Amino acid sequence: MRDMYHKYFEDFVLDETFRSSGRQMTEADTRISIGVIGGSHPLHIDPEYCASRPDVGRPIVQGSMVLGFIDAGMYDGLCPGGEVVVIPRGYEKIRFMKPIYIGDIVNCEFQVKGLADFDKTYGVVTVAVTVYNQEHTAVTFALEEFLVEKEGGR
């Protein structure tokens, strides 16, 4: 088997676990995200509004940014230079368990939960993803499928 980078479908093993690198979620990230996709809800930009909400207390990161971070973690962990094609196929489950605050540093832990043949070019890798903050508190959980290129698939 090759090193953890440039993994083809055949290189995955059920229940194997790998981690992404950490990333700090910044106010600039939130502002850019709002500029690109909208969603300028006060939960993401208004400290006074957030202070009135006991469930958050201060501005939180948009869920769409967290999902993008999950996909980026999968790509960066498996095909940093694009040598192996990895395509998100969709989420089976997403749970935002705790808020992610602007300034938090997050990383993802991926565990392979399923491997299935798709066609002659790709296989399906199903991963359970847990996003942790800097205190190692689980903040988001997702079950996602990715099409991963087979060796010699292209």
Side-chain angles (χ1 to χ4, degrees):
M1 181 162 103
R2 285 167 282 280
D3 60 34
M4 76 173 265
Y5 294 111
H6 313 123
K7 286 179 76 163
Y8 289 92
F9 172 72
E10 296 87 351
D11 296 325
F12 286 89
V13 177
L14 280 176
D15 294 322
E16 77 174 291
T17 301
F18 54 95
R19 283 185 99 77
S20 73
S21 58
R23 168 92 162 67
Q24 185 171 27
M25 298 301 199
T26 67
E27 183 176 355
D29 295 331
T30 297
R31 298 281 179 185
I32 289 168
S33 177
I34 289 169
V36 172
I37 62 172
S40 59
H41 191 280
L43 279 174
H44 308 299
I45 58 173
D46 185 343
E48 289 182 30
Y49 174 80
C50 292
S52 73
R53 297 270 310 257
D55 56 335
V56 293
R58 56 191 166 137
I60 61 173
V61 172
Q62 292 172 301
S64 57
M65 279 182 38
V66 177
L67 299 179
F69 176 71
I70 289 171
D71 288 351
M74 184 73 169
Y75 302 138
D76 291 346
L78 301 177
C79 59
E83 290 83 357
V84 177
V85 177
V86 177
I87 304 167
R89 191 160 184 239
Y91 290 94
E92 296 294 320
K93 180 179 188 176
I94 301 168
R95 294 289 180 267
F96 297 106
M97 301 174 299
K98 297 211 180 265
I100 297 174
Y101 297 104
I102 293 171
D104 280 357
I105 299 169
V106 294
N107 64 64
C108 299
E109 182 177 277
F110 298 87
Q111 185 175 34
V112 176
K113 291 298 190 182
L115 298 167
D117 193 51
F118 184 74
D119 62 18
K120 68 181 183 98
T121 306
Y122 297 101
V124 178
V125 177
T126 302
V127 292
V129 186
T130 305
V131 179
Y132 294 95
N133 67 14
Q134 67 277 0
E135 296 164 357
H136 201 67
T137 300
V139 292
T140 302
F141 175 81
L143 190 62
E144 185 174 11
E145 290 184 352
F146 291 88
L147 292 178
V148 178
E149 180 183 4
K150 294 179 179 177
E151 188 169 19
R154 283 191 272 177

